[in-house]
Amino acid sequence: MTDTLSVARTRVWDLPTRLFHWALAFAVIGLIVTGLNGIMEWHFRLGYTVLALLLFRLVWGFVGGRWSRFAAFIYAPGSVIAYLRGKSHPDHLIGHTPLGALSVFAVLALLILQVATGLMADDEISASGPLTRFVSGAMVSLATGWHKAQGKWIVIVLVSLHVLAVLFYVLVKRHRLVGPMLSGDKLVVAGAASNSHRNGNDVASSRDDAASRTLALVLFALCAGVAFWVASLRV
């Protein structure tokens, strides 16, 4: 019983995931600021940065550390309901919670849509996306309308809600969210993650060694290359 209730410091968030998280946060804030103030060249540069980051996260969601993989936080509706009723499985408190997972997927989906529409948008003054000449005028008009109106404000609202949710969990529920996203480690109850700590094997931890970090660097370089190529299409 003592062994079951003991806790162990476990690497949950690998370094590539942590760097992605903070880089995306600052880039999105920068996009909002530059967009609202009409600083379009920096808006485009930050947009290409977010494109590279999103491409990397999509790939890292399949080959990254255990708790960064999409498979680790795709929850069935029953799991979400159980979490809301306070009956969640211990595994759900290691990485993303069921509600946190929904937030992650919502943010990723919205940012992908916002970046895609930005690449096809044209304000007919001085700023046009690199893909405008490859799509129809109707698509350009639709993308521009979404990007400058609904999409922009939904991003602002979603980012605000995300910050408020983090503050709620930190200040009210006393959950440590910011610290682990800086250090990568959480205190995990031994026996969680389907009793994967048995026989002394810390299977619950995410791989975060030199090899995985090198892989992440190579993958991000490739994603940045794709973003750079997309940027080069702008005339």
Side-chain angles (χ1 to χ4, degrees), residues 4-219:
T4 302
L5 296 178
S6 61
V7 295
R9 186 171 294 278
T10 302
R11 176 55 49 91
V12 174
W13 305 121
D14 53 62
L15 181 61
T17 298
R18 283 177 278 149
L19 291 176
F20 160 82
H21 178 274
W22 294 111
L24 184 67
F26 287 116
V28 169
I29 292 173
L31 277 175
I32 293 173
V33 172
T34 54
L36 292 175
N37 291 279
I39 310 173
M40 297 314 297
E41 282 307 311
W42 274 104
H43 190 72
F44 273 102
R45 290 168 186 166
L46 289 168
Y48 299 135
T49 300
V50 171
L51 172 61
L53 289 169
L54 291 174
L55 290 174
F56 168 77
R57 188 63 182 93
L58 291 177
V59 177
W60 199 242
F62 294 96
V63 300
R66 170 173 179 166
W67 300 104
S68 298
R69 297 189 182 190
F70 297 135
F73 56 96
I74 295 179
Y75 296 109
S79 296
V80 178
I81 295 173
Y83 177 78
L84 292 173
R85 292 177 174 175
K87 300 178 180 179
S88 59
H89 190 281
D91 290 12
H92 301 166
L93 303 179
I94 299 177
H96 291 297
T97 66
L99 283 184
L102 291 177
S103 174
V104 168
F105 287 124
V107 168
L108 290 178
L110 180 60
L111 288 179
I112 290 172
L113 178 60
Q114 192 67 358
V115 169
T117 54
L119 295 175
M120 296 183 287
D122 185 356
D123 66 0
E124 299 182 349
I125 300 176
S126 60
S128 61
L131 302 185
T132 52
R133 58 195 175 100
F134 299 105
V135 297
S136 67
M139 179 60 72
V140 170
S141 178
L142 184 64
T144 304
W146 169 269
H147 189 82
K148 296 179 65 177
Q150 302 97 320
K152 176 181 70 177
W153 291 111
I154 293 175
V155 167
I156 292 174
V157 170
L158 204 56
V159 169
S160 301
L161 288 176
H162 182 73
V163 172
L164 290 175
V166 170
L167 290 175
F168 172 76
Y169 272 89
V170 170
L171 299 177
V172 179
K173 304 196 73 172
R174 301 295 181 182
H175 287 187
R176 295 180 67 250
L177 297 180
V178 179
M181 192 52 73
L182 290 171
S183 68
D185 296 335
K186 277 187 176 182
L187 293 177
V188 177
V189 176
S194 304
N195 296 318
S196 54
H197 290 299
R198 287 177 300 182
N199 301 321
N201 295 319
D202 190 7
V203 184
S205 63
S206 288
R207 183 183 178 186
D208 190 22
D209 53 19
S212 65
R213 293 178 179 182
T214 301
L215 173 62
L217 186 61
V218 171
L219 290 175

